[in-house]
Amino acid sequence: MNTRTETGLRIGMAALFVLVGVGGALLARDFTDVGRWFPFYASLGIACMAATVLVQEIVAARRPAEADDGTGAGAVTDDASEADAEPTLRTNLLWWLAVAAFAATVYVVGLFVAAPAFVALALRYGAKVRWRNCALAALIILGAVYGISEILSLPMPEGLLW
Amino acid sequence: MIDAAVEALGIILSPDRLLWILAGTCLGLFLGIVPGLGGMVGMAVLLPFVYGMDPYSGIALLIGMMAVVQTGDTFPAVLIGVPGTVGGAATIMDGYPMARSGQAGRALGAAFFASMLGGLFGAAVLFAILPIARPLVLSAGSPELFMLSMFGLSLVAVLSRGAPTKGILSGLLGVLLATVGLAPASTDMRYTFDSIYLMSGIDLVVVALALFAIPEIVELVSEGKAITRNRAKLSGGMPQGVRDTMRNKRLVLQGSAIGTVLGILPGIGGSAINWIAYGVAKQTVRKNNRFGKGDVRGVIAPEAANNSTEGGQLIPTLLFGIPGGGTSAILLGGLVLLGIQPGPEMADPAHMPILLTIVWTLAIANVLGTALCLCLARPVSLLTLVPARLLGPFLFVVIILASYQATHQWGDIVVVLVLGLLAVIMKRLDWPRVPLLIGFVLGPGAERYFTISTSRFGSDWLTNPGVIVIAILIVGSVFLGVRRQRTPGMPMPDKALEEEAR
């Protein structure tokens, strides 16, 4: 669990929340008395809790390093677990990026073009599906999206081009 | 009253009205299964169709749809960890881990049966309470509603999986996120940064999809496995799930009672009620160390609550014209289109057949919806055997489409992506995400009722008997929750439980 990347992420996350809390409290000072109460105290609570978590994470991050000083075994374990952990985190973020790229494509060409393209490419490169089947899946999603939009009269995100 | 009930049953049992109930039930199940749509979309879609229908047929269609949305939303919640509606989020906590360990059938069986019992309980309470509803609804003022919101918020410490500091922090983040937009009692535009989209606040559907759907599906496609590889217990466990529900009668009753009673109080909202039912169940059952990891009781309690809520919410909707939620608000419009004017005069004996037709429709639709769901469970459960990388791209399209339906603005998609990234990292780092959603759900209500209470009563409301009773409940529940977390009574070894699951 305590890989260098994850430790950095843990500390970064807690630090981010400290900033959110402090920023939220500072911005809340400009609100009227009635509107200030909840956001100000929620922000203050976030800042205090996040600071506590930040201290805990820093203390926890220092512990294995101190243990490694004596035997060196800790460093081996860390490297091994890091090798296991890194691809999962990276793969998670890559898939998130793929979804973000899909959303950006929808913004440009609209859902009716972007959805079949995304499904076909994701199946081809994510699941190694044959091109012919990818094309079939693209047609299915196009039909499903079109059918839902027509039957339920749902507005679909339109792109800049279509 | 009994004569009127028999007369109403005769009206609703005519073949054409039963067909309308069936049509409404099928639509409701479909809307529950597709993430992001839900009862409000269904009501909006049906409104043009009910215009000109006879009132009883229109009621059969509208109430039939409304009654089972919460039953259908169990499918995506259990099978793919995506809330079909915001009310389904609590079911994910234990339903999805059960599906991942090959117990999808058991989870679905338990959920559907609990939903049906909850729905019937709600209908029965609606029937029983009609003569005494008025004083009950009027007894809860803003101080009591504020305290009920605080009761829900106090559950974040219990639902934070042994990390209370992170849980409370997560809950406060939810409260802060909910303050974005126009303040409830002033003209402040809070944290909008001059964005028009943020001025109306962030929609609950978007937050629920970001917190649960995005990280679960991202993780599944990253692993590249199917949701489960255990074909044997996929749907064969349904009778066991039904038996689980029968064995946990007290839990069904407790969940149904929470759903109905809190449903009667306008402004609490179905999603908050489900979390309260889940949290209370976790605190009151024995050997709760499997809660959140695939305990069937964590499915039964919220599912019983969410269907019973519909019965409860109909009481203020019909008798006072005060909608208990978004779906009820559109239902009000539908009833007016049918020539029915909801309000205190609905309690007149002349209107009793209409009211009792609604009660019967609610009961029949719940039974019908459960039967349909049990029939559909096997084919739909097979989805969990499909490798996630084949299913994932389709689900991502559904998520983007569903999030856009919240307010039809691009901001919905941006928010779902940004919060989704945060949720992916939170999941990776074992940060509790449930408290964030609870804070988001209950924060606005808590703020609104607190502001009304202090502006109307100063600090006098603190001495209201109802407030004191709920305060004692809060202290007791937090004390009990913290004590249970520190001294887990008779912990069951995880390996033994996994063996049992296999």
Side-chain angles (χ1 to χ4, degrees):
Chain A
M1 182 57 74
N2 274 325
T3 64
R4 276 194 292 274
T5 311
E6 288 211 3
T7 305
L9 210 52
R10 281 177 189 283
I11 292 173
M13 189 87 153
L16 173 73
F17 289 150
V18 171
L19 286 176
V20 168
V22 171
L26 288 175
L27 288 173
R29 290 188 312 171
D30 297 335
F31 304 151
T32 59
D33 285 346
V34 179
R36 179 188 307 145
W37 210 89
F38 253 68
F40 180 76
Y41 285 105
S43 302
L44 216 57
I46 289 168
C48 294
M49 290 289 170
T52 311
V53 174
L54 183 62
V55 171
Q56 286 172 346
E57 296 294 1
I58 291 171
V59 170
R62 289 185 60 178
R63 261 189 222 134
E66 285 162 10
D68 290 347
D69 291 344
T71 62
V76 175
T77 312
D78 272 1
D79 287 346
S81 62
E82 188 163 12
D84 290 340
E86 284 278 358
T88 315
L89 179 61
R90 197 181 300 138
T91 318
N92 280 354
L93 294 178
L94 277 174
W95 273 104
W96 179 85
L97 271 176
V99 180
F102 164 53
T105 316
V106 174
Y107 185 72
V108 179
V109 295
L111 190 75
F112 288 118
V113 176
F118 169 72
V119 167
L121 291 173
L123 287 176
R124 176 63 195 156
Y125 295 106
K128 306 277 184 274
V129 174
R130 283 196 292 180
W131 275 115
R132 194 183 59 189
N133 294 341
C134 292
L136 190 66
L139 283 175
I140 290 172
I141 195 76
L142 181 61
V145 169
Y146 182 75
I148 288 175
S149 72
E150 285 298 308
I151 294 167
L152 299 180
S153 305
L154 294 180
M156 294 287 152
E158 288 178 8
L160 296 172
L161 301 179
W162 293 289
Chain B
M1 186 85 170
I2 299 295
D3 291 341
V6 173
E7 184 192 339
L9 183 63
I11 292 170
I12 210 67
L13 282 183
S14 70
D16 60 325
R17 281 168 196 142
L18 284 177
L19 272 177
W20 285 120
I21 295 182
L22 182 67
T25 305
C26 290
L27 179 66
L29 289 179
F30 171 74
L31 294 169
I33 290 172
V34 179
L37 296 185
M40 282 176 70
V41 172
M43 279 291 171
V45 168
L46 288 182
L47 277 192
F49 294 103
V50 298
Y51 190 74
M53 285 174 88
D54 82 276
Y56 297 107
S57 301
I59 284 171
L61 183 64
L62 293 177
I63 303 289
M65 189 281 297
M66 184 182 172
V68 296
V69 172
Q70 306 282 6
T71 311
D73 74 355
T74 309
F75 277 120
V78 168
L79 298 178
I80 49 179
V82 176
T85 65
V86 285
T91 308
I92 293 175
M93 293 301 293
D94 284 279
Y96 184 58
M98 285 182 76
R100 295 209 72 174
S101 64
Q103 298 189 85
R106 184 181 174 189
L108 289 175
F112 294 144
F113 202 61
S115 291
M116 187 189 77
L117 294 179
L120 291 176
F121 183 91
V125 170
L126 179 58
F127 176 76
I129 218 164
L130 286 175
I132 55 158
R134 184 191 287 259
L136 184 73
V137 175
L138 295 181
S139 68
S142 55
E144 286 79 14
L145 291 171
F146 168 70
M147 290 305 286
L148 280 172
S149 303
M150 293 311 289
F151 178 56
L153 282 171
S154 73
L155 294 171
V156 298
V158 181
L159 295 172
S160 50
R161 291 189 179 185
T165 315
K166 286 179 182 172
I168 294 167
L169 168 54
S170 187
L172 287 170
L173 278 169
V175 172
L176 187 65
L177 201 62
T179 62
V180 171
L182 183 64
S186 66
T187 53
D188 292 303
M189 284 291 175
R190 300 183 300 194
Y191 308 121
T192 56
F193 307 104
D194 295 329
S195 154
I196 294 171
Y197 168 73
L198 291 176
M199 285 177 185
S200 53
I202 299 171
D203 195 89
L204 176 57
V205 173
V206 175
V207 177
L209 283 170
L211 286 180
F212 293 99
I214 294 271
E216 295 303 337
I217 299 172
V218 158
E219 188 169 286
L220 273 177
V221 293
S222 298
E223 287 174 356
K225 299 173 192 164
I227 294 169
T228 180
R229 279 174 289 180
N230 195 337
R231 183 182 281 265
K233 289 190 176 178
L234 200 60
S235 59
M238 267 192 298
Q240 191 185 351
V242 173
R243 281 197 297 275
D244 285 330
T245 305
M246 294 296 285
R247 262 202 301 272
N248 288 285
K249 288 185 201 77
R250 191 189 61 80
L251 207 55
V252 174
L253 198 65
Q254 177 183 294
S256 305
I258 289 172
T260 311
V261 173
L262 295 187
I264 293 172
L265 307 174
I268 301 285
S271 49
I273 292 169
N274 293 346
W275 283 114
I276 290 174
Y278 181 82
V280 171
K282 185 177 179 183
Q283 284 170 290
T284 52
V285 299
R286 288 180 181 178
K287 299 175 187 171
N288 67 354
N289 58 325
R290 287 288 296 172
F291 256 72
K293 298 173 189 166
D295 191 320
V296 73
R297 295 170 298 179
V299 174
I300 292 169
E303 282 300 317
N306 68 13
N307 279 48
S308 63
T309 304
E310 302 296 346
Q313 282 188 345
L314 281 173
I315 292 169
T317 306
L318 297 172
L319 294 181
F320 297 95
I322 303 168
T327 312
S328 318
I330 306 176
L331 175 70
L332 274 180
L335 293 175
V336 172
L337 281 180
L338 290 168
I340 301 163
Q341 186 60 54
E345 62 272 20
M346 285 290 281
D348 291 346
H351 289 103
M352 214 35 97
I354 293 273
L355 277 180
L356 293 169
T357 304
I358 291 174
V359 174
W360 281 118
T361 307
L362 204 57
I364 293 169
N366 268 291
V367 176
L368 200 59
T370 303
L372 284 172
C373 282
L374 288 172
C375 295
L376 284 172
R378 181 166 176 75
V380 178
S381 297
L382 291 175
L383 274 179
T384 59
L385 293 170
V386 179
R389 285 193 179 171
L390 294 181
L391 207 57
F394 294 95
L395 295 175
F396 285 131
V397 172
V398 171
I399 289 170
I400 294 296
L401 180 58
S403 59
Y404 186 74
Q405 298 311 314
T407 64
H408 307 141
Q409 294 182 64
W410 276 96
D412 293 329
I413 296 178
V414 174
V415 171
V416 95
L417 286 171
V418 173
L419 283 181
L421 177 63
L422 181 72
V424 167
I425 298 171
M426 284 176 85
K427 182 172 170 60
R428 176 75 185 156
L429 300 180
D430 282 332
W431 277 67
R433 288 167 289 152
V434 174
L436 203 157
L437 190 62
I438 293 178
F440 187 83
V441 169
L442 293 171
E447 180 176 16
R448 188 168 56 247
Y449 296 127
F450 177 79
T451 310
I452 296 171
S453 302
T454 46
S455 60
R456 278 191 66 197
F457 308 111
S459 59
D460 292 347
W461 61 270
L462 287 166
T463 53
N464 281 12
V467 168
I468 293 168
V469 168
I470 303 170
I472 292 168
L473 267 176
I474 292 173
V475 173
S477 98
V478 169
F479 175 74
L480 199 70
V482 171
R483 211 181 100 183
R484 284 204 173 198
Q485 279 190 3
R486 285 189 177 171
T487 54
M490 299 174 69
M492 293 162 84
D494 279 359
K495 277 190 178 178
L497 279 160
E498 280 165 17
E499 284 299 318
E500 186 199 331
R502 285 190 194 102

